[in-house]
């Protein structure tokens, strides 16, 4: 009988071990969590042509479900049909600079240069006209920006510091630009507290290093992407921290652009990052229609 009980005891021990191991696995937080609104772990991936390998900013165009995009270090504007990205169109609007983000308001494009300058681009039939506002005239300090978005409350463009001399690892600042009255120039906008972000990921301080930002039209929250840190930070439009999500670097290899559809679907652009293709990542709003 003892030889018969031994296998049974072993099997029962193994079953109990597996049960508790699986229970612990269920209880653990996923390393890359999804939100109630988006499955960050399962975006729809759309490969893009190599023309936009260095895609650095996007703006959604609802009239024909395409995106307008810019690339680093070249004054080219691209229109990319989401359903047929190889049918992209392109226009030259300026010489080579370090272009980082783009906002489309009505039929006018506002394109951010890394030093804070903003190039305004308008189409007049087949011709293009441009003007440039110089942030360097307002500030002689060393500043670097990669994100530009439209704040719906103030109806002004806002650029978040990636590297600004005023910032610390406990705060990050932003500047507004009045596109309706360019003569008013730039003004300080919001200085956001980075400490709650740091605490949420188990740190004392944290340098956000924003690479793209946009306001979600459904929730009116501000979504900030940090390509360096591989995460999305969600705040109120006044910079009050709400949530942070770590992004899988295997999917979000170099996320440098973000835009939303009117229904709240999120679009993130990936640079090719020395590996593979540039991409658009489409994240459907799971709460749509509820």
């Amino acid at each position: 009988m003892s030889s018969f009980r031994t296998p049974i005891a072993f099997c029962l021990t193994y079953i109990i071990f597996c049960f508790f191991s699986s229970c612990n696995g269920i209880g653990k937080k996923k390393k890359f969590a999804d939100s109630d609104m988006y499955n960050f772990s399962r975006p729809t991936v759309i490969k893009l042509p190599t023309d936009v390998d260095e895609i650095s900013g996007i703006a959604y165009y609802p009239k024909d479900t395409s995106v307008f995009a810019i690339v680093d270090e070249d004054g080219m504007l691209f229109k990319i049909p989401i359903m047929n990205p190889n049918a992209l169109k392109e226009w030259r609007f300026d010489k080579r600079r370090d272009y980082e983000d783009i906002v489309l308001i009505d039929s006018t494009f506002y394109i951010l240069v890394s030093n804070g300058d903003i190039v305004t681009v308008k189409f007049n039939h087949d011709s293009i006209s441009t003007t440039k506002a110089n942030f360097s005239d307002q500030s002689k300090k060393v500043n670097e920006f990669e994100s530009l978005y439209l704040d719906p409350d103030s109806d002004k463009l806002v650029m978040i510091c990636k590297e600004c001399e005023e910032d610390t690892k406990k705060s990050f600042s932003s500047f507004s630009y009045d596109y309706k009255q360019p003569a008013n120039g730039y003004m300080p906008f919001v200085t956001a507290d980075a400490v709650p972000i740091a605490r949420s990921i188990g740190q004392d301080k944290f340098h956000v290093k924003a690479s793209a930002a946009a306001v979600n039209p459904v929730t009116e929250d501000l979504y900030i992407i940090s390509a360096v840190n591989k995460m999305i930070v969600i705040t109120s439009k006044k910079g009050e921290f709400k949530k942070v999500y770590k992004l899988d670097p295997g999917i979000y290899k170099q996320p440098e652009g973000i835009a939303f559809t009117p229904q709240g679907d999120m679009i993130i652009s990936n640079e090719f990052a020395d590996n593979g293709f540039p991409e658009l990542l489409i994240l459907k709003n799971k709460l749509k229609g509820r």
Side-chain angles (χ1 to χ4, degrees):
M1 291 293 291
S2 61
S3 61
F4 180 73
R5 285 198 300 267
T6 301
I8 293 177
F10 175 81
C11 290
L12 286 173
T13 303
Y14 180 77
I15 291 169
I16 291 169
F17 171 79
C18 290
F19 174 78
F20 283 106
S21 296
S22 62
C23 286
N24 287 337
I26 291 170
K28 288 180 180 178
K29 282 184 88 174
K30 289 172 63 177
K31 185 176 181 181
F32 303 108
D34 295 326
S35 73
D36 293 339
M37 202 166 185
Y38 302 105
N39 289 330
F40 293 113
S41 58
R42 297 187 300 278
T44 298
V45 180
I46 298 175
K47 291 183 179 179
L48 301 178
T50 56
D51 306 58
V52 290
D53 273 351
E54 301 287 341
I55 186 169
S56 59
I58 56 173
Y60 181 67
Y61 187 58
K63 290 185 178 180
D64 60 7
T65 62
S66 60
V67 296
F68 283 94
I70 55 167
V71 296
D72 283 343
E73 299 179 0
D74 199 2
M76 299 294 296
L77 175 66
F78 297 88
K79 184 180 182 183
I80 307 171
I82 291 177
M83 301 307 294
N84 185 16
N86 288 316
L88 64 74
K89 297 179 180 179
E90 61 183 64
W91 301 267
R92 177 163 295 282
F93 66 87
D94 204 356
K95 61 184 181 180
R96 295 177 64 87
R97 301 180 196 275
D98 191 5
Y99 302 100
E100 295 294 350
D101 211 348
I102 180 171
V103 173
L104 173 60
I105 303 175
D106 297 326
S107 58
T108 303
F109 298 91
Y110 299 90
I111 297 172
L112 176 69
V113 186
S114 62
N115 66 356
D117 295 349
I118 294 176
V119 179
T120 300
V121 179
K122 293 183 179 182
F123 281 83
N124 183 13
H125 301 296
D126 293 332
S127 64
I128 295 176
S129 63
T130 64
T131 56
K132 184 160 68 77
N134 296 312
F135 182 73
S136 53
D137 290 345
Q138 311 291 323
S139 175
K140 301 302 181 185
K141 296 181 179 180
V142 177
N143 302 287
E144 183 182 356
F145 304 89
E146 289 191 358
S147 56
L148 184 72
Y149 69 94
L150 177 66
D151 175 62
D153 292 343
S154 64
D155 196 25
K156 292 181 181 178
L157 294 170
V158 178
M159 52 191 197
I160 302 173
C161 285
K162 181 181 180 183
E163 295 276 357
C164 290
E165 286 193 356
E166 294 90 344
D167 292 347
T168 68
K169 288 188 177 181
K170 293 189 176 182
S171 67
F172 57 101
S173 55
S174 57
F175 293 83
S176 68
Y177 173 73
D178 191 343
Y179 67 93
K180 291 183 177 178
Q181 301 183 58
N184 292 345
Y186 300 82
M187 296 290 291
F189 189 64
V190 168
T191 298
D193 187 359
V195 173
I197 304 172
R199 288 175 178 167
S200 72
I201 57 174
Q203 299 182 19
D204 295 326
K205 53 189 178 180
F206 182 69
H207 198 163
V208 174
K209 291 183 176 289
S211 57
V215 173
N216 187 319
V218 175
T219 64
E220 296 193 340
D221 291 331
L222 177 63
Y223 281 59
I224 304 169
I225 291 181
S226 175
V228 171
N229 298 301
K230 296 294 188 291
M231 62 177 54
I232 286 184
V233 177
I234 303 174
T235 74
S236 72
K237 289 174 288 186
K238 294 182 179 180
E240 300 153 332
F241 173 68
K242 291 193 173 184
K243 197 77 175 176
V244 62
Y245 291 95
K246 292 183 179 180
L247 299 175
D248 184 348
I251 300 172
Y252 301 87
K253 50 191 178 183
Q254 194 165 336
E256 297 282 351
I258 184 172
F260 289 94
T261 71
Q263 296 76 32
D265 295 336
M266 189 193 310
I267 307 170
I268 294 174
S269 61
N270 255 340
E271 290 190 8
F272 82 120
D274 299 322
N275 181 24
F277 294 85
E279 299 164 335
L280 292 180
L281 309 178
I282 313 297
L283 297 94
K284 293 291 186 180
N285 172 13
K286 296 187 290 185
L287 304 181
K288 189 165 45 180
R290 290 189 183 181

